[in-house]
Amino acid sequence: MKTEEAQSDSVNAVEPEDSKPEAAPSRALALDADRVDSGRRSSILVAVAAILAVVAVFCGAQWRSAANETADLRAAAADEQRATEIARDYVKRSLTYDYRNLDAFFGAVTDGTGDTLRERYKQVRETLGKIMTESQVVASGNAVSAAVDSVTGDQYRVTVFAIQRTQNVQQKDPASVPNLLTVTVAKNGGAWQVTDYGPQKVAP
């Protein structure tokens, strides 16, 4: 009897050990699943990082493009403003003269001009000076308004409305005369020049 009980106890003692190994495959599967999930998460994070990098590059390029366009627009507006100021100043100088000091007048209208315009004044200086002296003409000009009509490359065509007060030997009292003038201003590097000037041409 004791031998049978001992065998029974031995069997009972072994039975729990037979049931334990069954949990090992479950743990292994769980570890494999964790590895798969971890790998998927890593792949997703890498993909998201790549997408964010592309978006950042695209947004940076767009920002730089917008910044460059804004800078170009500001530079263009500044150039137009400068051309307008030069045109107004030139019109004022061209409409202001005194027969008693013609050198000052011809110096003023040739200062800051291109070769062609300077040569034009040189050719008419003697004749125009004689007329101004004989008429005893005195005048002063004021540029009332100005606007850029067109831009071709670095050339700006500016229309200026001006009022000239003038008197001469036949007209002792000063009279105001309106003038609509066209001034072409050219930018050459950092220098500006008046290249053409005259009354605005009215289409027939």
Side-chain angles (χ1 to χ4, degrees):
M1 293 294 291
K2 290 181 179 180
T3 302
E4 293 177 357
E5 291 176 356
Q7 292 176 350
S8 176
D9 292 339
S10 176
V11 171
N12 292 336
V14 172
E15 285 179 354
E17 294 178 3
D18 294 340
S19 60
K20 289 180 181 178
E22 295 178 357
S26 298
R27 288 197 297 272
L29 290 173
L31 290 173
D32 288 342
D34 290 342
R35 291 192 189 99
V36 171
D37 290 343
S38 178
R40 287 177 179 173
R41 285 195 295 270
S42 297
S43 299
I44 291 172
L45 289 174
V46 170
V48 170
I51 292 172
L52 290 176
V54 171
V55 170
V57 171
F58 176 77
C59 290
Q62 291 293 101
W63 180 85
R64 285 192 296 272
S65 177
N68 290 337
E69 288 180 4
T70 301
D72 290 343
L73 289 173
R74 288 177 177 173
D79 284 345
E80 288 194 13
Q81 178 64 29
R82 181 59 180 152
T84 301
E85 291 172 355
I86 292 172
R88 290 174 64 107
D89 177 69
Y90 188 79
V91 165
K92 181 178 180 180
R93 284 185 280 146
S94 70
L95 297 180
T96 301
Y97 41 81
D98 189 324
Y99 73 96
R100 290 162 294 193
N101 190 4
L102 294 179
D103 287 342
F105 166 70
F106 284 106
V109 293
T110 55
D111 182 37
T113 60
D115 293 340
T116 302
L117 185 58
R118 192 180 305 113
E119 183 62 25
R120 190 189 306 171
Y121 275 109
K122 182 180 179 180
Q123 292 176 358
V124 301
R125 174 168 181 165
E126 183 177 352
T127 302
L128 183 58
K130 184 178 180 180
I131 293 172
M132 295 170 75
T133 301
E134 290 176 353
S135 300
Q136 298 182 8
V137 62
V138 177
S140 61
N142 180 39
V144 179
S145 63
V148 174
D149 285 339
S150 62
V151 180
T152 304
D154 288 329
Q155 290 196 340
Y156 300 78
R157 187 172 181 271
V158 185
T159 295
V160 182
F161 174 69
I163 299 294
Q164 184 186 43
R165 287 177 61 82
T166 180
Q167 64 186 93
N168 54 50
V169 68
Q170 296 179 343
Q171 183 178 304
K172 299 296 185 179
D173 297 327
S176 296
V177 180
N179 292 267
L180 195 59
L181 303 160
T182 298
V183 185
T184 301
V185 183
K187 181 181 180 182
N188 184 12
W192 292 84
Q193 287 186 334
V194 175
T195 59
D196 198 11
Y197 169 77
Q200 188 176 70
K201 296 178 181 178
V202 179

